[in-house]
Amino acid sequence: MSELFDAVDALVASRSPLPPADERKRLRVAHGLTLDDVAGALKVRRATVSGWESVKKPTEPRGPEREAYARLLRQLAELYPASEEPTAPVPTTFTGAPAAAEPQTLSTGEASEAAVMTATENTQTPAPVAAAPPAAPRPARTTRTSSTSRRPGAKKAAPAGTPAGGTDPRFENGPLAVVDVEDGKVLAYCTGGLVLDVPAKSIPALVDWTLREAKLGQPKLAGPGKDADPLIVLTEAALERYGLPVTLTEEEKHAGRIPEDHKVIKQLARAEWKLTKRGFGPWARIYRPATGSERACGQLCIPSWNALDTRHWGEAGQLPPAELARVLGVYASRVMTPRGSTAVTGLELMTALHPPTRASEPDATGKRHSEHNPGSLGKDAIDPMNWPPCEVPDGHPVLKDLPRFHVRGPAEKLFEEAYDWARPMTDAECTLRFLVGIDVNMAFAAGANGLNVGLGEATHVKTPAFDPKLPGSWLVDLSHVDLSRVKVGKEWVELDGSLLPSPFTPKGERPEGPAWYATPTVAYAVELGYEVRPLEAWVRYENGRYLDGWYNRLRDAYLSTMADLGVDADLSPEDFLAAMDGYKARDPELAIVVSAVKATVKGGLGKLRERPRGEGWRPGEPWRALARPTWRPDIRAAVISRTRINLHRKILKHAAFTGQYPIAILSDCVVYAANGPSPLDFLPYREGKPLPGGFKLGINPGLVKWEGTQDVLWGEEVRERFNAPELNLARYIKDGTVTDVDNGE
């Protein structure tokens, strides 16, 4: 009989009533849940939940999943009745048609492992596309009230749309806190809207409180790694309270720190706290030598000392404490707790995902030892004198015997950089109306994805056979590669080579003889159908896909944040262009996170070849960055090489299919002449499908977005005004403003 009852229950459950698809999504986002959160709870795929919420063509859950999903929606409906949902502003299309309003809140779950990122605000000539989704409602800044939280010291409940603290009880209050002073009381604003009372009356006491009582920090990102140290952000009021200057003097800005004899530094010394070599600056690390496994390190971030560079963090440093905690908290949960600038954090993320050492298997006595972690760069930097001369920048110790004013040419120096190329327009292009710029999303991140890079030192080889799977630098003559006749895919095609940039040089000039190239560049010459015969090479037999985890983490951070801003990965081209239009205004705080994630990619790769930064350095002497295992200019060169080649491959595919050629390229932005103002006026879509291997509109890394549109007459007028027929118009396509002659810098 019980089996019959179970069968009846299952039959009833299989028909559990469900609200419409748009209501399902409204309830999920109202509670701050991501698709991954729901999928994880119901033990289904993310795409399955997305299908249940699809307004155009929803799918229906079946079996036990339907009953559980219906139960979830019923509970959410009780918490968020439709009548209480705030009305969102209704955006319009470029033709004035209203778009459906859909409230959104910040997701708190882990990002999807699906595709990924990009974005630059589109403010130029509008394209005739569909309506964009409305702005996600921002959580209102709450006032300090009596606590409803069980956590000690909490002063308010978490507003919707902010990330909550982690599940690790050691860090239950989140990764960081913004310390401010209100009505004479010192408060710590944590993620999730939590506010803690801070009893500390000095900086040493504040550090001690942070490590002992605040329950701040973040779990390690990889098995053999270390937990992230807690971050304390000090507002101007907090600086005054703790005896620190609100701003730095010009001398202190130049030094990057306050003087060693400052009273706060003396307080730290008396309390037996130490500072790292960077001293007490915008990002100060304060620690005591570790005893066992006890944590004894914290970090301070001081926005008014320019810790949050406006180029990457926008106006974050001017935000109220709760809003700043939200911005930094979202970044920390999706990338990692900031360790300094976005560049520093990008580099630290590589190490956090690939720690240099791990614990060995127990020896005969049962004791474990520290050993090299396979796939990492190890704990020791490469000896400066063991670097290949072609891979290092000018002034490196390995070049100390060169004449003082010697300028190295392509046959002496690996020069893999992003494109800065332009050409005059043809007569046919001048008859068209518009110049349209498209920008590759997260281009350098996409270039790092799946890239095989060297992990150890290089080996010098004479007259090697080229191996496209072997990372390294190759001295080879590619001047014989003729772009007028190349292989595109498996077929030979005839092109107008005079309208194309060379894929082998940043300026797009055809090589004139042997030069040093990274492996992806030489491999592309072979792909185009030409033979290569390297004269010599520096290759790395120890290699691996070191940047894959780094790429995945940043990709998912970008994707999830853009999804919160209404730009999803599965939009049609028209819907994507509409969603990108004004996306930053939907939630300016999340737009800051987007900017910081993109800066983390570029800055982290740039740090791989960090140059000397003052400190009395002289050419031929080592500088501080050379002591890092992560000083790896060869990895940076390989990523840039692959990024440039990826772009050139799309340009060739587009030219072979459409007969259209780029007019200008700057890094990852390409400008074409077209009869309409939208990318859809020249990209060859067929029934909504893009050209295989060509440019495709979308949010994922490697896909493209609209950068800007100007009149062809604007381009001709600008070039004539500056008497520069090859002025790089890609540099100005976004807003059309040209402030000075283009010098390529």
Side-chain angles (χ1 to χ4, degrees):
M1 186 65 68
S2 61
E3 293 180 358
L4 293 176
F5 287 167
D6 291 341
V8 170
D9 291 343
L11 186 63
V12 173
S14 69
R15 297 294 186 270
S16 296
L18 298 174
D22 56 348
E23 176 66 4
R24 301 171 195 176
K25 184 170 185 177
R26 183 193 74 80
L27 292 172
R28 174 178 61 78
V29 298
H31 200 60
L33 298 174
T34 66
L35 292 171
D36 294 307
D37 293 333
V38 177
L42 300 181
K43 294 181 173 55
V44 296
R45 296 185 303 113
R46 180 184 188 274
T48 301
V49 181
S50 179
W52 296 344
E53 295 182 356
S54 174
V55 176
K56 293 183 179 179
K57 194 175 180 180
T59 57
E60 293 297 314
R62 299 178 180 179
E65 289 84 8
R66 183 182 183 95
E67 181 181 15
Y69 188 46
R71 179 184 179 89
L72 169 67
L73 295 176
R74 284 196 299 270
Q75 294 182 9
L76 293 179
E78 294 176 1
L79 294 173
Y80 308 101
S83 59
E84 297 181 9
E85 190 66 29
T87 302
V90 180
T92 60
T93 65
F94 293 126
T95 58
E102 182 184 323
Q104 299 183 21
T105 56
L106 174 62
S107 159
T108 61
E110 294 184 2
S112 161
E113 294 182 2
V116 173
M117 35 178 100
T118 177
T120 298
E121 186 175 2
N122 300 324
T123 57
Q124 300 305 311
T125 308
V129 293
R138 296 172 58 196
R141 187 185 180 199
T142 57
T143 56
R144 188 165 178 264
T145 63
S146 59
S147 171
T148 59
S149 168
R150 298 181 181 179
R151 287 182 274 184
K155 295 299 177 183
K156 64 185 179 187
T162 53
T167 56
D168 192 319
R170 298 172 301 160
F171 314 127
E172 66 178 31
N173 292 336
L176 54 88
V178 180
V179 173
D180 191 30
V181 180
E182 294 183 11
D183 301 326
K185 292 187 176 181
V186 183
L187 304 174
Y189 290 80
C190 306
T191 57
L194 176 71
V195 180
L196 305 176
D197 289 315
V198 181
K201 301 186 182 301
S202 66
I203 289 295
L206 177 64
V207 177
D208 190 71
W209 172 82
T210 300
L211 295 172
R212 295 180 181 275
E213 300 179 38
K215 295 187 177 181
L216 296 173
Q218 191 174 36
K220 57 189 177 182
L221 297 180
K226 298 179 180 179
D227 296 328
D229 297 317
L231 175 66
I232 295 293
V233 184
L234 298 178
T235 66
E236 294 184 7
L239 292 173
E240 292 179 345
R241 178 63 169 259
Y242 290 119
L244 290 165
V246 172
T247 59
L248 298 179
T249 65
E250 288 301 318
E251 182 179 355
E252 291 167 345
K253 289 178 182 177
H254 182 73
R257 65 184 73 188
I258 58 177
E260 296 296 323
D261 60 355
H262 193 280
K263 64 178 182 180
V264 170
I265 296 182
K266 292 180 178 179
Q267 291 174 358
L268 290 168
R270 286 195 296 270
E272 298 183 344
W273 289 106
K274 298 180 180 296
L275 293 165
T276 59
K277 290 182 179 180
R278 78 171 78 174
F280 202 120
W283 292 91
R285 296 190 66 76
I286 304 172
Y287 71 98
R288 286 182 179 137
T291 55
S293 61
E294 183 180 354
R295 291 161 50 82
C297 184
Q299 182 156 327
L300 301 181
C301 167
I302 306 177
S304 65
W305 293 7
N306 199 35
L308 301 175
D309 192 325
T310 55
R311 294 172 298 175
H312 309 139
W313 290 100
E315 300 302 316
Q318 307 300 318
L319 292 174
E323 283 78 353
L324 179 55
R326 178 192 182 219
V327 168
L328 294 177
V330 173
Y331 179 89
S333 66
R334 295 178 176 179
V335 179
M336 70 180 301
T337 304
R339 294 287 303 271
S341 66
T342 50
V344 169
T345 304
L347 200 67
E348 291 286 343
L349 180 61
M350 297 179 194
T351 303
L353 294 168
H354 283 288
T357 60
R358 67 179 184 183
S360 68
E361 292 296 325
D363 60 18
T365 64
K367 187 177 181 180
R368 296 179 183 269
H369 305 273
S370 176
E371 66 178 14
H372 175 74
N373 184 28
S376 75
L377 299 181
K379 62 182 180 65
D380 298 318
I382 294 175
D383 187 323
M385 302 310 294
N386 290 342
W387 272 99
C390 63
E391 292 182 347
V392 299
D394 295 338
H396 190 277
V398 81
L399 305 175
K400 65 180 180 180
D401 293 332
L402 286 179
R404 183 176 180 185
F405 297 106
H406 177 74
V407 177
R408 293 185 294 160
E412 299 173 278
K413 179 181 180 180
L414 177 69
F415 193 65
E416 295 284 10
E417 298 294 340
Y419 267 129
D420 185 354
W421 170 87
R423 63 169 176 83
M425 283 186 274
T426 65
D427 292 342
E429 289 166 343
C430 288
T431 65
L432 301 176
R433 295 182 57 195
F434 298 102
L435 296 175
V436 184
I438 53 176
D439 184 83
V440 180
N441 302 326
M442 297 288 284
F444 294 100
N449 182 32
L451 179 64
N452 201 36
V453 300
L455 301 177
E457 293 189 8
T459 301
H460 190 225
V461 184
K462 285 286 188 179
T463 59
F466 176 67
D467 182 352
K469 297 181 180 179
L470 191 58
S473 301
W474 309 78
L475 181 62
V476 59
D477 188 350
L478 300 180
S479 60
H480 62 293
V481 178
D482 183 4
L483 295 182
S484 297
R485 186 173 185 272
V486 294
K487 272 189 174 180
V488 176
K490 297 182 179 180
E491 298 181 359
W492 286 94
V493 297
E494 304 287 338
L495 300 171
D496 189 342
S498 66
L499 301 180
L500 288 166
S502 167
F504 309 126
T505 61
K507 290 292 184 180
E509 302 164 341
R510 187 168 179 168
E512 297 180 352
W516 286 99
Y517 303 101
T519 298
T521 302
V522 185
Y524 188 55
V526 176
E527 179 183 329
L528 294 177
Y530 289 85
E531 184 181 8
V532 297
R533 294 181 178 178
L535 303 175
E536 60 178 297
W538 289 89
V539 296
R540 290 173 169 82
Y541 295 108
E542 182 188 357
N543 52 67
R545 292 167 57 161
Y546 174 72
L547 294 173
D548 275 11
W550 183 81
Y551 162 79
N552 290 334
R553 181 84 178 173
L554 291 166
R555 177 203 66 189
D556 290 350
Y558 193 94
L559 178 62
S560 56
T561 309
M562 289 300 293
D564 289 329
L565 287 165
V567 186
D568 295 309
D570 56 355
L571 297 174
S572 68
E574 295 81 6
D575 290 344
F576 169 70
L577 290 174
M580 287 296 295
D581 184 52
Y583 76 92
K584 293 183 179 180
R586 294 175 201 144
D587 191 327
E589 292 169 13
L590 288 187
I592 292 174
V593 177
V594 169
S595 174
V597 171
K598 292 195 292 185
T600 303
V601 172
K602 289 188 176 181
L605 294 172
K607 274 282 185 181
L608 290 169
R609 199 191 67 162
E610 184 176 352
R611 303 297 299 275
R613 305 178 65 183
E615 301 175 348
W617 174 82
R618 294 181 180 179
E621 296 178 350
W623 57 93
R624 182 183 298 178
L626 300 188
R628 295 194 321 248
T630 49
W631 193 81
R632 294 299 302 268
D634 58 306
I635 296 179
R636 172 188 177 273
V639 173
I640 294 176
S641 164
R642 191 162 186 247
T643 302
R644 193 182 66 248
I645 295 307
N646 285 346
L647 179 59
H648 196 274
R649 186 181 291 112
K650 288 180 171 62
I651 289 171
L652 278 195
K653 191 76 173 182
H654 185 85
F657 187 81
T658 67
Q660 299 169 337
Y661 295 83
I663 289 169
I665 310 173
L666 182 67
S667 187
D668 47 11
C669 175
V670 188
V671 175
Y672 283 91
N675 264 325
S678 167
L680 290 175
D681 291 316
F682 72 92
L683 293 181
Y685 273 82
R686 294 290 186 273
E687 298 180 354
K689 295 183 179 181
L691 173 67
F695 295 109
K696 178 183 178 182
L697 290 166
I699 196 65
N700 302 299
L703 306 189
V704 298
K705 61 174 175 54
W706 177 50
E707 178 68 5
T709 298
Q710 303 296 330
D711 294 334
V712 166
L713 292 177
W714 162 86
E716 288 295 276
E717 187 276 329
V718 165
R719 285 178 163 178
E720 182 178 347
R721 187 197 326 163
F722 292 107
N723 191 26
E726 296 184 2
L727 183 79
N728 195 331
L729 299 176
R731 181 172 278 108
Y732 315 109
I733 196 70
K734 188 173 181 64
D735 60 13
T737 302
V738 183
T739 56
D740 203 349
V741 177
D742 178 16
N743 59 10
E745 293 297 323

